[in-house]
Amino acid sequence: MFSKACEYGIRSATYIASQSLEGRRVSLKEIAEKIDSPVAFTAKILQLLSKNNIVDSVKGAYGGFEINRTKIDTLKLSEIVNAIDGNKIYVGCGLGLKECNAAKPCPVHYKFVAIRNDLRKMLENTSLFEMTTGLEMGLTYLKR
């Protein structure tokens, strides 16, 4: 459902948040390694996240990426998805057809509408902090 960039964006933000909670800034290379993503691709994703005020980029010898604690508590996954993929996840056809709507539905249109609505609710109600909790306890993972 998500683009590869969006998947890496969510994983990047989650990793950066987990490290920020420990008072650490993280480098591009560390993020790419921890989320199992190519460095150049990760750099482009982090540029988008920085441009959309999701992560903070600090330049210099002690620079890296971080996320403010208040932002970690309040930022929703929907904001990350919107920064990278826009709203296409909420409006696209489940089969990838160019035109699919209630007037001319694809075979899975109505089922997919329900799934999209549930996905929207989940993304709008899941904070970045919630994503980091499982990581800290070793219950969830960003790399396999």
Side-chain angles (χ1 to χ4, degrees), residues 53-93:
N53 298 313
I54 292 173
V55 302
D56 298 315
S57 174
V58 179
K59 297 190 186 314
Y62 299 101
F65 294 91
E66 63 186 5
I67 303 174
N68 176 291
R69 172 59 200 233
T70 305
K71 198 180 295 184
I72 292 170
D73 290 337
T74 60
L75 190 75
K76 303 296 183 190
L77 289 185
S78 58
E79 296 174 72
I80 298 168
V81 171
N82 189 53
I84 298 172
D85 281 351
N87 73 340
K88 68 183 177 183
I89 194 165
Y90 306 123
V91 297
C93 172

Side-chain angles (χ1 to χ4, degrees), residues 127-138:
S127 71
L128 192 54
F129 180 76
E130 288 176 69
M131 297 288 287
T132 64
T133 304
L135 288 177
E136 292 170 358
M137 293 186 200

Side-chain angles (χ1 to χ4, degrees), residues 22-74:
E22 295 179 13
R24 292 188 63 235
R25 283 188 191 126
V26 287
S27 71
L28 167 63
K29 287 182 182 181
E30 179 181 343
I31 296 164
E33 177 190 327
K34 295 295 183 180
I35 68 166
D36 201 20
S37 170
V39 174
F41 194 42
T42 305
K44 290 179 182 181
I45 293 163
L46 291 171
Q47 281 180 327
L48 277 174
L49 294 177
S50 181
K51 180 181 171 187
N52 284 278
N53 298 313
I54 292 173
V55 302
D56 298 315
S57 174
V58 179
K59 297 190 186 314
Y62 299 101
F65 294 91
E66 63 186 5
I67 303 174
N68 176 291
R69 172 59 200 233
T70 305
K71 198 180 295 184
I72 292 170
D73 290 337
T74 60

